[in-house]
């Protein structure tokens, strides 16, 4: 048989005593815990949504492949814009580990819905010549209509990027759909879905290389070359692309890996996330003040209880621990509810976006830990005040 040392309580008895103190003032306790809940929910949701969006983006990158490299012209030593040789795509295709090479070449033409629109209203739409297997290389698909083929690449026919279609007001593709490009009509063959690894295509009007030369005075120099290589030799291919694309002036060629940029972006916390975390911290602080206020009033209202317990043998430590336990329990309840709300919000939004729901341990563990810490700090002063009360004084003033 175990015995309890005089002046000490089992943890279970202390928790039960703290729970009784909160149950007798349910409305006040609930309102005090609300601020804690809001703060923790905001923090958990922000961190959870950030982690879920990163997981979703990384999963999409894995699906699209990390073996896409892009080759673009850089700057000449004199400061002007360099140009890639016209045969750069064909030369790059000879590199052993390279699987496919496609390209686009930016023209000087602009695209408009009709010839009556002012030339200054370009809507940031570019007109580019494009090779015939471009969608497969950048892992996008045709949303409506068809992509260019060997026949339409020779004619005034265009394919629109997803953003370009919206800006031009092209909702459907029909036989008579056309836009004004470079001073003449071009018929619309199709509209592409968004290209995650090649976002520049979303705001582009794409025409065939032969049509660009014939109708738009295109010089034939590619402005962007998309290279798919063997996954295990991406770094090796990247090291030789500049010299392969332009052997005479390799320093005037830029080589990048779009997936690497997206991974870096996914790992970067945005300023908006920081703002919401700050708001969550403010709400948590307000909740802590509410807990402190509740405990101060509780000490004043329960002077007779404090005096009676002291008269029956409770030590200052018992009283101090009782009120501190109530504050911690109140904050922990608010923190638990906040974690649950934050997880539900994260799961709901992630499901809408099609992401995997990810709630990192730092989110729920840190939120609950912060709530308990704030509850302990908020309840410390009222607990010390209750412990300093003398039994006779407490009973006399109750």
């Amino acid at each position: 048989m175990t015995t309890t040392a005089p002046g000490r309580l089992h943890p279970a008895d202390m928790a039960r005593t703290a729970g009784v103190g909160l149950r007798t003032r349910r409305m006040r306790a609930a309102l005090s815990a609300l601020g804690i809940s809001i703060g923790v929910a905001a923090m958990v949701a922000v961190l959870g949504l950030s982690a879920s969006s990163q997981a979703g983006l990384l999963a999409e990158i894995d699906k699209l492949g990390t073996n896409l490299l892009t080759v673009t012209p850089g700057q000449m030593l004199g400061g002007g814009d360099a140009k890639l040789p016209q045969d750069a795509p064909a030369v790059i295709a000879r590199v052993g580990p390279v699987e496919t090479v496609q390209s686009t070449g930016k023209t000087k033409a602009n695209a408009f819905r009709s010839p009556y629109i002012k030339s200054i209203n370009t809507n940031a739409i570019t007109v580019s010549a494009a090779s015939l297997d471009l969608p497969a290389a950048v892992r996008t698909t045709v949303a409506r209509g068809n992509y260019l083929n060997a026949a339409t690449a020779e004619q005034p026919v265009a394919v629109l990027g997803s953003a370009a279609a919206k800006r031009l007001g092209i909702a459907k593709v029909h036989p008579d759909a056309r836009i004004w490009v470079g001073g003449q009509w071009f018929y619309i063959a199709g509209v592409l879905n968004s290209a995650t690894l090649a976002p520049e295509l979303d705001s582009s009007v794409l025409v065939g290389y032969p049509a660009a030369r014939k109708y738009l005075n295109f010089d034939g120099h590619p402005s962007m070359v998309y290279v798919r290589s063997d996954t295990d030799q991406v770094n090796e291919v990247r090291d030789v692309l500049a010299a392969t694309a332009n052997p005479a002036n390799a320093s005037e060629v830029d080589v990048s890996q779009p997936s690497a940029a997206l991974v870096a972006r996914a790992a970067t916390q945005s300023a908006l996330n920081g703002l919401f975390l700050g708001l969550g911290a403010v709400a948590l602080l307000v909740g802590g003040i509410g807990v402190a206020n509740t405990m101060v009033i509780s000490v004043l209202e329960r002077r007779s209880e404090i005096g009676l317990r002291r008269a029956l043998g409770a030590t200052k430590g018992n009283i101090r621990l009782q009120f501190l336990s109530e504050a911690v329990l109140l904050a922990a309840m608010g923190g638990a509810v906040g974690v649950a709300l934050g997880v539900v919000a994260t799961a709901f939004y992630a499901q809408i976006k099609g992401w995997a729901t990810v709630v990192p341990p730092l989110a729920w563990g840190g939120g609950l830990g912060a709530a308990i810490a704030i509850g302990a700090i908020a309840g410390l002063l009222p607990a010390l005040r209750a412990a300093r009360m003398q039994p006779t004084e407490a009973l006399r003033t109750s």
Side-chain angles (χ1 to χ4, degrees):
M1 179 177 179
T2 58
T3 58
T4 303
R8 301 192 63 179
L9 290 174
H10 280 298
D13 295 330
M14 184 59 64
R16 191 180 304 110
T17 303
V20 170
L22 295 179
R23 286 197 301 271
T24 57
R25 297 161 180 83
R26 294 180 180 178
M27 182 59 69
R28 186 184 300 164
L31 292 175
S32 297
L34 182 61
I36 296 285
S37 300
I38 293 174
V40 172
M43 297 176 71
V44 170
V46 168
L47 293 176
L49 289 175
S50 177
S52 297
S53 65
Q54 290 177 20
L57 180 56
L58 293 176
E60 187 173 2
I61 291 172
D62 290 339
K63 181 176 66 176
L64 296 173
T66 57
N67 62 336
L68 178 66
L69 300 168
T70 60
V71 180
T72 56
Q75 297 289 316
M76 294 188 297
L77 293 178
D81 294 331
K83 285 187 177 182
L84 292 175
Q86 293 186 15
D87 62 349
V91 175
I92 292 173
R94 298 172 192 164
V95 177
V98 170
E99 298 174 350
T100 183
V101 180
Q102 299 296 314
S103 65
T104 60
K106 189 178 295 185
T107 72
K108 296 180 180 179
N110 291 319
F112 304 96
R113 190 67 177 86
S114 77
Y116 304 107
I117 298 175
K118 294 182 179 179
S119 59
I120 195 173
N121 297 326
T122 63
N123 255 332
I125 296 173
T126 59
V127 180
S128 298
S131 53
L132 299 184
D133 293 322
L134 181 62
V138 299
R139 302 285 169 83
T140 190
T141 56
V142 178
R144 298 182 294 279
N146 301 286
Y147 188 67
L148 300 169
N149 55 41
T152 56
E154 304 269 354
Q155 304 300 322
V157 175
V159 172
L160 308 181
S162 57
K166 293 179 181 178
R167 295 172 191 172
L168 291 169
I170 305 295
K172 296 181 180 181
V173 176
H174 52 81
D176 296 327
R178 59 184 185 173
I179 56 175
W180 189 255
V181 180
Q184 69 178 74
W185 291 109
F186 269 65
Y187 287 89
I188 306 299
V191 177
L192 296 177
N193 284 309
S194 180
T196 302
L197 293 180
E200 63 278 356
L201 297 180
D202 294 343
S203 58
S204 297
V205 171
L206 305 177
V207 302
Y209 268 89
R213 290 190 181 96
K214 181 177 180 180
Y215 300 106
L216 304 177
N217 297 318
F218 177 53
D219 60 9
H221 291 276
S223 58
M224 179 81 75
V225 181
Y226 302 91
V227 182
R228 285 278 179 185
S229 70
D230 183 278
T231 304
D232 297 328
Q233 301 186 60
V234 173
N235 293 332
E236 290 79 359
V237 172
R238 182 173 54 194
D239 292 340
V240 302
L241 275 182
T244 303
N246 192 351
N249 297 289
S251 61
E252 297 178 358
V253 179
D254 294 332
V255 180
S256 63
Q257 188 173 6
S259 58
L262 290 177
V263 171
R265 189 181 74 184
T268 304
Q269 291 289 346
S270 69
L272 190 59
N273 282 354
L275 172 62
F276 280 111
L277 284 175
L279 292 176
V282 170
L284 202 57
L285 178 61
V286 172
I289 295 174
V291 170
N293 181 60
T294 296
M295 298 312 301
V296 168
I297 295 176
S298 180
V299 169
L300 295 176
E301 291 179 342
R302 296 162 65 186
R303 286 175 296 185
S304 59
E305 174 190 339
I306 295 170
L308 181 59
R309 291 198 62 207
R310 290 295 308 279
L312 293 176
T315 65
K316 290 184 178 180
N318 294 147
I319 301 299
R320 182 169 55 247
L321 190 58
Q322 175 188 348
F323 282 89
L324 188 60
S325 299
E326 288 187 20
V328 170
L329 180 60
L330 180 60
M333 290 169 54
V337 173
V339 168
L341 291 175
V343 170
V344 169
T346 300
F348 178 75
Y349 191 77
Q351 186 175 9
I352 292 176
K353 290 290 187 179
W355 302 333
T357 302
V358 179
V359 181
L362 176 64
W364 58 265
L368 188 58
I372 292 175
I374 285 182
I377 295 172
L380 183 59
L381 185 60
L384 293 174
R385 182 176 181 180
R388 285 198 298 266
M389 283 189 177
Q390 297 298 322
T392 54
E393 180 186 355
L395 290 171
R396 179 175 58 83
T397 56
S398 60

